[in-house]
Amino acid sequence: MASDLAILGGTPVRTEMLPYGRQAVDGEDIEAVVRVLESDWLTTGPGVEEFEESFAQKCGATHAVAVSSGTAALHAMLASLGIRKGDEVIVPPLTFVASVNAAVYVGATPVFADVDSESLLLDPESVAACLSPKTRAVIAVDYAGHPCDYEALRSITDGQDVSLLSDGCHALGGGQGDRSVGVLADATTFSLHPVKHITAGEGGVVTTNDHIVAERLRWFRNHGITSDHQTRAARGSWFYEVEQLGFNYRITDFQCALAGSQLKKLDQWVGRRKAIAAAYDLRLGGLKELSLLKSREGFSHAYHLYVVRFRPDAFSVDRARIFEALRAEGIGVNVHYIPVYYHPFYKNLLGDQKGLCPVAEEAYEQVISLPIFPGMTESDIEDVLAAIKKVIAAWGI
Ligand SMILES: *Cc1c(COP(=O)(O)O)cnc(C)c1O
């Protein structure tokens, strides 16, 4: 009965809002941070390198460079690869706006390629159609945590002087075959925001196997200065040089202590995310009102997000109403993402591009992200399922 829905005056499934994502911080993490606070180095100390080494090892990458945010990581990555004014960078529209803002930071022009309808990952055919003599980079986004098909993308960018990059902010702990996200592209960015797999409060990482790019990343995060504070201290030297324009995108040692302590729990946490996703798959997969995203054979999904499409032909109301109803039930659902070129800034910059990527635009009208984080309990999962069932019972047609 429609009146059962909390939004129509019924009793909500739960009174305390279940968030779509939440960090887990334990006593071990806190101790690791306190140890650094009591040490000599709060920033640019040995804790940064220590974290970088364990992160690189986790991904199987030669280099990991830690910075102040995932957004700084994207900016530093593009700048360190020499992407600049006049260049075109191919991006998907279905991503957090930072993936695209980074191209604008370096003066490049974002060009939107559409996503594949089954996975909502960058569609290689659409990328091929967007290539121009000005294309210098493709930023593939591992949407929801499923790695993109980098082999297919590589076959398009090969021999073109185009860097194949990954915004892997959703996909730490994912991979393809025996290779991890972090080595599937020429360089990969990660975020350490609390909603992501591991956190530093704020923070980001770039991984690459290219030592020249890694060196430039280290300069870029420190004003473009080519020798860091520690090296100078060791040499007892006051001399430094700015080789290129950089920023202060440094991360602190105590943030790295938190992220490093969290990294030890990554496998366990990704395992828990997979188990929650499997429960959703099992219980929602058979419902004709919904469609689930497809996982591809041979890939390991890190499940930053669990995204469901509510079929518009199966409901008497639109997605906005379904979203409000789920929130009213105490389920902290979200929408990932508003197509980037819908934002006023991008309309001003590039003109109105509505209609450019029909698959992404259609998905945007239908998607809802369900809560998924390692600390979710079985009864939290049941609450999410109960709320969805109430919506279907009230408004399914
Ligand atoms: C979180 C996120 C970012 C930005 O990371 P911050 O650490 O918040 O700056 C970039 N891209 C994607 C896809 C993200 O999910």
Side-chain angles (χ1 to χ4, degrees), residues 20 67-74 94-100 140-144 167-171 189-196 201-205 304-305 336-337:
Y20 87 91
V67 293
S68 54
S69 70
T71 304
L74 283 157
L94 216 56
T95 183
F96 184 51
V97 69
S99 325
V100 186
V141 176
D142 298 329
Y143 179 79
D167 180 341
C169 287
H170 292 183
T189 58
F190 298 93
S191 165
L192 305 175
H193 182 275
V195 87
K196 304 292 164 61
E202 296 280 359
V205 182
H304 165 57
L305 302 175
H336 297 96
Y337 289 96

Side-chain angles (χ1 to χ4, degrees), residues 3-14:
S3 58
D4 283 342
L5 282 173
I7 199 170
L8 300 174
T11 310
V13 169
R14 54 189 287 151

